[in-house]
Amino acid sequence: MTAEPTETVADHGVPAVHERRTPAPPPVTLIGMPKFPKNAKKELGNAQLRSNLRHATTTIRNKRARVVQELPHWEQLRLAGEAIKNRTLRHLDDYLIQLEESLTANGAIVHWANDADEANQIVIDITRSKGVDEVVKVKSMATQEIDLNEALEEAGIAAWETDLAELIVQLGHDRPSHILVPAIHRNRSEVREIFLEEMGRYGTPPPEGLTDDPAMLAGAARVHLRDKFMRAKVAVSGANFAIAETGTLVVVESEGNGRMCLTLPETLISIVGIEKTLPTFADLEVFMQLLPRSSTAERMNPYTSMWSGVREGDGPQEVHVVLVDNGRTKVLADEVGRQALRCIRCSACLNICPVYERVGGHAYGSVYPGPIGAILTPQLRGTASEVDKSLPYASSLCGACFEVCPVRINIPEVLVHLRNKVVEENPGPSLQNIGMKAGGWLMGKGSRFGMAGKGAEAFGTVWPGSKIGPLPIPGWAAGWTGARDMKKPATETFRDWWKKREKTAGRGDQEGQA
Amino acid sequence: MSAPTGTVALFATCINDLMFPDTPKAVVRLLERLGCTVDFPLSQTCCGQPFTNTGYFKEAMPSVRNYVETFESYEYVVGPSGSCIGSVRDQHPMLAGRLGDPGLQRRVEAIVAKTYDLSEFIVDVLGVTDVGAYFPHTVTYHSTCHSLRVTKVGDRPYRLLKAVRGLTFVELPDSDQCCGFGGTFSVKNPDTSVAMGTDKVRHVLDTGAEYLVAGDNSCLLHLGGLLSRMEAGVRPIHLAEILARTEEDLVEAGTSANSEGGVR
């Protein structure tokens, strides 16, 4: 049984080579993708999005703060998480070989993929070898990163998302906007509309009289997915952790859809970023405390699935593990940037980020949005494209992300480091480069800065009024004054006031009233 | 109260020097009132943060070297800015490590240890929370990210403010969320910056305060710009300017508290 191929790709601007099996997402092309500020401006204008995001991120970050406060040893847990990940990354070559050996001994088949294309081809080949043209999927950032669904679609294989939020995104011809809650930008009335419009085209339709009651919406998704679970021969998952010592993969989820995918189909293919490795089973103790509280603000994770290869007569009888690099070894080579590989994809940094809260995930033009995306994506993809160049600047460096990160990734530090990388890679005679060079020279000596102060005083003296209103000069001046007045410089700088004070005989007297 | 025997070097910061001279003047007045000998070495410039945070590490180095040369002979360096002090503490060692020599690194580390934000210096070094100030107004306080998370001034500004006579303090909702200034972020991402600032201003207005207090004039430049554009009638003011004011000052001046007026 297959789904009705009712969707034509031409509707969504994707070049049509065959009739699509699954809903078409908006195309993502890195070339020509606008910079973050431009994307952000567009998203900021969406009042519904602003309200959905404010509500959702405020709720989850407050809940996280409450459950984290319950643990008196939270800081020690963070330090332990950081230390375990650092040790793993330092010896990743050894642990990966150990992981492969353990997995193989358990009856799993291990594949190595240098990049997205290799990983996708491995999944396509395995699926084809089973003679099926569809797979069910557990929510997985790694498969989003390699754009597996679209690669499978091109190969004539339908990939069905089974996580509720991923299903909403998929049916909505959309892209995820959050690592943990991919449909965070949608509210329940929007979800209802998507279900009514799209569900019936790709399987079991929603029930009559569907309202926007969350329980009813979830019920509709359950019924819709049931049929897909029951007929699936191949499942694709990611993994939160891969234990080198025991050859165990771990998936942490909340809905039970993952458990269905991991146990029902005959063949299971797991796409695992190489940095997901943990040395020993005991290391999980730390992460199973850090992850649920940081991500969903739960004390204990609802569905934790672990499997170590093949168990005869129980669960999938063919277990594949695809270990993916896709830029990770390049990140590992960067002494400052490599800490981004500690990430356990909890999303605490997204939920606390004041920038993310305003603009949402799509503005980042990257599978990984928010603060972690702003440091991970430009490292994985490089900083050649306009959007990737702009991502390290998509932060006010407020530091809230570092405070909540369960593995203590110093995101502001990496952002500034990557900004330096962007600057070093673009040494041309731009206005910014010239301005910064001049500024750097100016600040090298007090006498030079004093001269600049004279100029500022002159400007402050001749400028009429106390403030500077909207300026029609493009660039930074318009950027500032578009919505904000600018104070004019002082008519007497502090240093000139000080010099005068020193000159007057009574040094130290209280004559400082300006 | 035990005033330090050594001279206190005032690091005014470049933005205060040019744009907000009332703030370093207030620091001088305040510290002298508390028994300190204050000097303002004229060779000082900037902490270099605008360069560092935009990715221009090489361009920040003249500021780093100049800071060391200007201040290393003093026992204490005090600045009225959580952000600039944070940059000295957090970024100067990183920059010296990357682009300097081991000698510079050692000098930077030595100076970091004696560089204080104003609120830290008053509470920790002078051991004072009641500085004898008088400010008969309702105020709210924005904690500013770098004061909070880089310099980590903690509750010191609150303790100092709450000891001011005549002052009514109103808590600012979500006071620990960024106002959206973020240095060059404010002009590189102006729309997001303004969206964040507008939410902050909404919270400020909700408090009904007459004054918005912070330990960083750069954040106040941004928020003050928004407040001014909307003619909101709430005045941004630096913590130092409140702490410097005494009852005698008000009688002598006989005017409004903010001598410059207008937008900050």
Side-chain angles (χ1 to χ4, degrees):
Chain A
M1 181 157 73
T2 55
E4 284 297 306
T6 48
E7 186 68 21
T8 59
V9 277
D11 290 351
H12 297 279
V14 179
V17 287
H18 64 274
E19 218 160 0
R20 287 191 64 98
R21 305 281 314 282
T22 58
V28 172
T29 44
L30 212 50
I31 314 295
M33 160 89 66
K35 291 179 188 181
F36 177 83
K38 207 169 164 194
N39 293 335
K41 190 183 171 76
K42 180 169 155 262
E43 303 292 327
L44 284 165
N46 184 342
Q48 180 73 67
L49 177 81
R50 294 278 294 275
S51 139
N52 293 355
L53 281 171
R54 182 168 54 235
H55 175 73
T57 57
T58 306
T59 307
I60 194 161
R61 71 168 171 256
N62 289 344
K63 229 174 117 187
R64 177 211 158 268
R66 275 200 302 277
V67 296
V68 160
Q69 270 168 8
E70 292 172 355
L71 294 188
H73 59 297
W74 182 252
E75 198 52 35
Q76 284 98 309
L77 278 173
R78 289 177 79 212
L79 288 162
E82 176 187 18
I84 293 168
K85 283 286 184 179
N86 281 349
R87 174 160 50 93
T88 312
L89 293 170
R90 255 194 328 269
H91 307 290
L92 190 58
D93 48 351
D94 291 334
Y95 288 125
L96 282 172
I97 290 169
Q98 192 191 1
L99 177 66
E100 181 182 32
E101 286 167 358
S102 308
L103 283 166
T104 308
N106 293 341
I109 302 158
V110 177
H111 310 259
W112 297 88
N114 272 314
D115 54 26
D117 287 345
E118 284 186 23
N120 289 332
Q121 195 56 51
I122 291 165
V123 181
I124 291 167
D125 291 345
I126 298 169
T127 309
R128 280 183 176 156
S129 77
K130 300 295 150 201
V132 296
D133 61 358
E134 61 172 352
V135 301
V136 285
K137 280 188 68 199
V138 188
K139 177 173 164 23
S140 142
M141 290 311 295
T143 61
Q144 293 286 356
E145 180 189 321
I146 62 176
D147 207 7
L148 175 68
N149 291 10
E150 285 309 284
L152 290 177
E153 178 68 52
E154 271 174 42
I157 300 165
W160 303 114
E161 295 290 350
T162 66
D163 171 86
L164 177 55
E166 288 284 4
L167 176 69
I168 294 164
V169 166
Q170 186 174 37
L171 289 176
H173 299 272
D174 207 351
R175 293 272 178 189
S177 71
H178 189 279
I179 290 174
L180 184 77
V181 203
I184 195 169
H185 56 290
R186 299 288 195 192
N187 66 13
R188 60 198 208 184
S189 60
E190 291 173 290
V191 173
R192 174 179 172 269
E193 279 167 39
I194 290 168
F195 280 11
L196 284 176
E197 182 75 17
E198 303 283 347
M199 228 173 207
R201 296 187 191 178
Y202 300 99
T204 314
E208 288 291 312
L210 183 74
T211 69
D212 66 355
D213 171 46
M216 196 173 186
L217 292 171
R222 284 169 65 97
V223 174
H224 177 81
L225 291 169
R226 183 66 42 170
D227 179 44
K228 293 188 163 68
F229 286 133
M230 297 316 287
R231 70 176 191 237
K233 298 276 184 263
V234 176
V236 176
S237 83
N240 293 89
F241 309 101
I243 317 288
E245 173 194 40
T246 55
T248 306
L249 297 192
V250 184
V251 159
V252 176
E253 45 120 5
S254 305
E255 296 171 13
N257 66 302
R259 182 70 54 84
M260 302 282 270
C261 293
L262 297 169
T263 52
L264 289 174
E266 289 153 17
T267 302
L268 173 59
I269 310 166
S270 302
I271 314 292
V272 186
I274 52 174
E275 86 286 14
K276 296 284 141 200
T277 310
L278 284 182
T280 70
F281 197 81
D283 295 324
L284 271 183
E285 176 200 344
V286 171
F287 294 98
M288 291 313 294
Q289 293 180 78
L290 286 173
L291 181 54
R293 284 177 201 255
S294 299
S295 58
T296 47
E298 286 167 307
R299 295 183 180 91
M300 191 179 162
N301 180 63
Y303 288 88
T304 304
S305 300
M306 304 185 189
W307 66 103
S308 308
V310 177
R311 178 71 55 90
E312 209 181 312
D314 184 13
Q317 294 302 293
E318 199 174 306
V319 171
H320 295 266
V321 180
V322 186
L323 295 169
V324 183
D325 183 333
N326 206 32
R328 284 159 176 76
T329 47
K330 208 173 56 196
V331 184
L332 194 56
D334 185 319
E335 283 179 34
V336 179
R338 68 171 61 136
Q339 56 186 305
L341 294 178
R342 293 205 296 260
C343 177
I344 55 174
R345 312 283 188 260
C346 74
S347 310
C349 64
L350 277 64
N351 300 329
I352 200 84
C353 178
V355 173
Y356 178 89
E357 181 187 331
R358 299 326 182 281
V359 304
H362 291 150
Y364 293 80
S366 126
V367 164
Y368 303 103
I372 186 62
I375 62 168
L376 194 54
T377 304
Q379 294 198 80
L380 290 173
R381 293 201 299 220
T383 38
S385 74
E386 285 301 304
V387 65
D388 288 333
K389 264 202 263 289
S390 71
L391 284 179
Y393 293 92
S395 164
S396 64
L397 301 178
C398 82
C401 47
F402 179 29
E403 271 187 343
V404 297
C405 178
V407 285
R408 294 173 41 87
I409 302 168
N410 190 335
I411 294 177
E413 181 188 33
V414 181
L415 285 167
V416 171
H417 168 74
L418 293 175
R419 290 176 185 190
N420 178 239
K421 203 170 152 230
V422 171
V423 166
E424 298 285 322
E425 285 169 358
N426 297 278
S430 66
L431 262 179
Q432 180 175 291
N433 283 349
I434 294 162
M436 287 288 169
K437 273 198 171 40
W441 176 84
L442 188 77
M443 294 303 187
K445 281 206 183 313
S447 52
R448 293 175 200 158
F449 182 61
M451 290 301 289
K454 289 287 173 206
E457 283 173 346
F459 179 82
T461 308
V462 298
W463 185 267
S466 67
K467 64 188 181 190
I468 303 162
L471 289 175
I473 310 163
W476 287 13
W480 181 279
T481 59
R484 293 162 286 204
D485 287 337
M486 177 49 101
K487 186 189 194 302
K488 71 170 186 175
T491 50
E492 184 185 45
T493 60
F494 175 74
R495 74 179 53 222
D496 280 357
W497 172 85
W498 178 268
K499 278 192 249 178
K500 241 165 46 191
R501 188 180 110 127
E502 290 297 280
K503 225 184 251 177
T504 42
R507 169 177 302 197
D509 277 1
Q510 298 287 317
E511 65 149 50
Q513 201 70 13
Chain B
M1 180 177 82
S2 60
T5 47
T7 304
V8 177
L10 166 62
F11 173 41
T13 81
C14 64
I15 184 174
N16 284 329
D17 195 349
L18 298 191
M19 307 285 287
F20 301 97
D22 282 357
T23 298
K25 283 180 205 170
V27 176
V28 172
R29 213 154 64 233
L30 172 65
L31 292 182
E32 287 180 347
R33 192 172 80 221
L34 296 173
C36 302
T37 308
V38 181
D39 192 16
F40 174 80
L42 287 163
S43 60
Q44 67 180 274
T45 57
C46 170
C47 66
Q49 188 172 205
F51 311 106
T52 315
N53 280 356
T54 315
Y56 290 81
F57 289 3
K58 278 200 289 266
E59 287 72 13
M61 286 310 287
S63 298
V64 175
R65 289 183 204 281
N66 188 63
Y67 186 88
V68 170
E69 281 156 18
T70 299
F71 292 111
E72 68 185 344
S73 62
Y74 290 91
E75 198 173 340
Y76 301 100
V77 189
V78 177
S81 165
S83 189
C84 306
I85 297 301
S87 170
V88 170
R89 282 196 201 158
D90 194 46
Q91 297 180 327
H92 284 202
M94 179 275 286
L95 290 166
R98 283 196 186 202
L99 297 168
D101 49 75
L104 181 69
Q105 225 176 327
R106 273 195 303 278
R107 291 164 76 190
V108 162
E109 275 157 24
I111 204 157
V112 159
K114 54 185 183 178
T115 295
Y116 298 87
D117 174 65
L118 178 69
S119 64
E120 294 176 315
F121 183 75
I122 297 172
V123 174
D124 299 350
V125 180
L126 300 182
V128 185
T129 46
D130 182 355
V131 297
Y134 175 72
F135 195 74
H137 297 281
T138 304
V139 309
T140 192
Y141 176 77
H142 169 51
S143 46
T144 80
C145 304
H146 289 183
S147 294
L148 197 66
R149 302 195 183 93
V150 181
T151 303
K152 297 189 167 69
V153 299
D155 66 349
R156 293 175 186 86
Y158 291 93
R159 285 155 65 195
L160 290 165
L161 274 177
K162 285 174 182 175
V164 172
R165 270 178 284 288
L167 183 142
T168 308
F169 184 82
V170 196
E171 204 74 49
L172 179 66
D174 289 343
S175 72
D176 60 350
Q177 201 182 53
C178 179
C179 71
F181 171 66
T184 49
F185 175 79
S186 63
V187 284
K188 281 179 157 293
N189 283 281
D191 301 290
T192 310
S193 169
V194 165
M196 290 159 70
T198 305
D199 285 345
K200 179 64 68 183
V201 161
R202 185 166 45 81
H203 286 311
V204 171
L205 296 178
D206 283 349
T207 65
E210 302 160 73
Y211 286 88
L212 167 63
V213 189
D216 266 304
N217 275 331
S218 45
C219 305
L220 290 178
L221 183 74
H222 162 70
L223 292 172
L226 286 167
L227 286 163
S228 163
R229 182 65 58 88
M230 63 200 283
E231 309 281 2
V234 178
R235 282 194 169 181
I237 188 168
H238 193 284
L239 174 67
E241 292 174 50
I242 291 182
L243 299 181
R245 208 150 285 151
T246 60
E247 273 179 84
E248 296 82 62
D249 288 337
L250 282 187
V251 173
E252 277 172 27
T255 56
S256 73
N258 192 336
S259 59
E260 285 258 327
V263 60
R264 292 190 69 95

